[in-house]
Amino acid sequence: MKKSTVSPITVLFVVAAILISYYSDVSSAESNSDPTPAPWPHQFHSILFVNFTGSLSLIDLWYDWTNGRNFNIIQDQLGELLYDLEWNNGTVFRYTLDDKKKCSSALIDVGILRPNWLDGATYLGQQFIDGFHCNVWQKVDFIWYYEDIVTKRPVHWVFYTGRSIHVMTFEVGAVLEDAKWQSPVYCFDKKQVHDHPASANDILEIGSKGILREFILPRNCVNSSARCS
């Protein structure tokens, strides 16, 4: 009695069919899941155009998670040039470099935003904004975030306060030289500096225009991926 044999070609077809079925299921599952925002690069430079109820400004943003620091250099329309410097230990300095030599500081409960601060954001769908086709997310009723669907670069975001941010440039890996991160000496003059701890419900007068910090409470929620009321 002859034993039945299976052709090697038949085996290959069966294996191929199993693999195709498996990867089709995986692909289908992935296509049915909502997209997630790309984590921020650990270091980047961005120029931002800001509109807050008609008040305009340009911000030179240097994000440097690697070294635990973030810098907003803020030019108000026909106004003064302000430097808003944040450190991951919660220290914030806000100062000018003109003859007025103004400086104030604060200590907040959280450091700079983590690269994955958008984890847990709710996907809202796709929308055209500033001429770009974007995926849109909302995070803890605090921020609406628009990301180009092709390049994954941030295009636009809007805070719950109405402050609208338009991303003009986005340079991944750009780093500001260390000497530029040093606050001026008069920031450490006790007669000049206004130091204060910031409570969870306070509006930070110091650095209130810093793009990564609108209010302390929502920022705590964003950094912790919590949902706050």
Side-chain angles (χ1 to χ4, degrees), residues 125-192:
Q126 296 183 355
Q127 184 177 336
F128 279 92
I129 189 77
D130 293 344
F132 295 88
H133 190 193
C134 297
N135 285 314
V136 187
W137 294 269
Q138 179 184 356
K139 184 69 183 281
V140 293
D141 300 324
F142 165 66
I143 190 170
W144 286 257
Y145 187 86
Y146 299 76
E147 177 186 274
D148 186 277
I149 64 172
V150 176
T151 65
K152 307 299 182 183
R153 292 180 302 184
V155 170
H156 179 67
W157 63 85
V158 182
F159 290 105
Y160 74 107
T161 57
R163 193 184 304 274
S164 178
I165 315 300
H166 305 265
V167 181
M168 308 302 290
T169 66
F170 194 73
E171 303 171 78
V172 176
V175 181
L176 184 65
E177 58 190 276
D178 287 339
K180 301 291 187 181
W181 295 88
Q182 179 59 54
S183 300
V185 64
Y186 48 84
C187 283
F188 304 94
D189 181 352
K190 292 301 182 182
K191 296 179 181 179
Q192 175 76 11

Side-chain angles (χ1 to χ4, degrees), residues 8-53:
I9 294 179
T10 302
V11 173
L12 289 175
F13 273 114
V14 171
V15 172
I18 293 172
L19 291 175
I20 290 172
S21 176
Y22 170 76
Y23 284 109
S24 294
D25 290 343
V26 170
S27 176
S28 176
E30 289 179 348
S31 64
N32 290 332
S33 62
D34 289 337
T36 56
W40 274 7
H42 283 203
Q43 294 174 313
F44 69 85
H45 172 233
S46 188
I47 295 176
L48 310 172
F49 176 76
V50 185
N51 187 343
F52 184 41
T53 62

Side-chain angles (χ1 to χ4, degrees), residues 84 94 104 194 196 202-209 213:
D84 183 86
R94 193 177 194 220
S104 54
H194 174 56
H196 62 281
D202 286 340
I203 297 176
L204 266 185
E205 180 180 350
I206 167 177
S208 61
K209 295 181 182 179
R213 183 184 63 256

